[in-house]
Amino acid sequence: QVQLVESGGGLVQPGGSLRLSCAASGRMFRVNAMGWYRQALGKERELVATITSGGTADYADSVKGRFTISNDNDKNTVYLQMNSLKPEDTAVYYCHTDFRATWSSYRRESWGQGTQVTVSS
């Protein structure tokens, strides 16, 4: 019903920066919140950051002070600005959206396909 398309991943040196984008597309839906998760090779998927449609953001302790999540409600897009990147940030980053149809109060969700972020010298 709602598709998420991620972009902005790539290879960067330690201490560098990347900006991830995720655009939600569909018809007659409203976003409650959007967020980013990541999964390193051989590890469980973990929450990175979330932001509500009102702009309230939460972060994992491991990225506080380095990552910034933001949104553009008019474009149904969420961003993740990643600064001071570390090798341990290497993972596939997945966009997630919590939404509802405009005619419904039921909560629904959608996941993106993921974008690779590699931090290495």
Side-chain angles (χ1 to χ4, degrees):
Q1 322 307 327
V2 173
Q3 293 184 322
L4 302 177
V5 179
E6 300 130 324
S7 63
L11 175 64
V12 65
Q13 293 184 331
S17 298
L18 286 173
R19 181 178 171 88
L20 305 183
S21 299
C22 174
S25 63
R27 295 183 62 183
M28 294 186 292
F29 72 96
R30 293 183 178 181
V31 171
N32 299 321
M34 300 186 75
W36 292 94
Y37 293 71
R38 67 186 182 186
Q39 186 168 17
L41 187 63
K43 295 190 175 183
E44 297 289 324
R45 187 174 299 187
E46 65 176 350
L47 174 70
V48 177
T50 61
I51 187 167
T52 68
S53 61
T56 301
D58 284 313
Y59 299 90
D61 288 340
S62 60
V63 306
K64 287 181 179 177
R66 300 188 297 120
F67 292 9
T68 302
I69 189 170
S70 60
N71 59 4
D72 185 335
N73 291 331
D74 291 336
K75 298 180 179 179
N76 288 321
T77 300
V78 65
Y79 306 93
L80 186 67
Q81 179 66 46
M82 304 185 294
N83 299 326
S84 302
L85 283 163
K86 305 174 181 180
E88 49 263 45
D89 295 318
T90 297
V92 177
Y93 284 70
Y94 296 92
C95 182
H96 177 263
T97 301
D98 178 328
F99 72 98
R100 59 182 175 89
T102 56
W103 64 86
S104 176
S105 62
Y106 291 107
R107 180 182 176 184
R108 306 180 187 185
E109 65 178 355
S110 183
W111 290 91
Q113 294 299 305
T115 184
Q116 178 70 48
V117 172
T118 302
V119 184
S120 177
S121 59

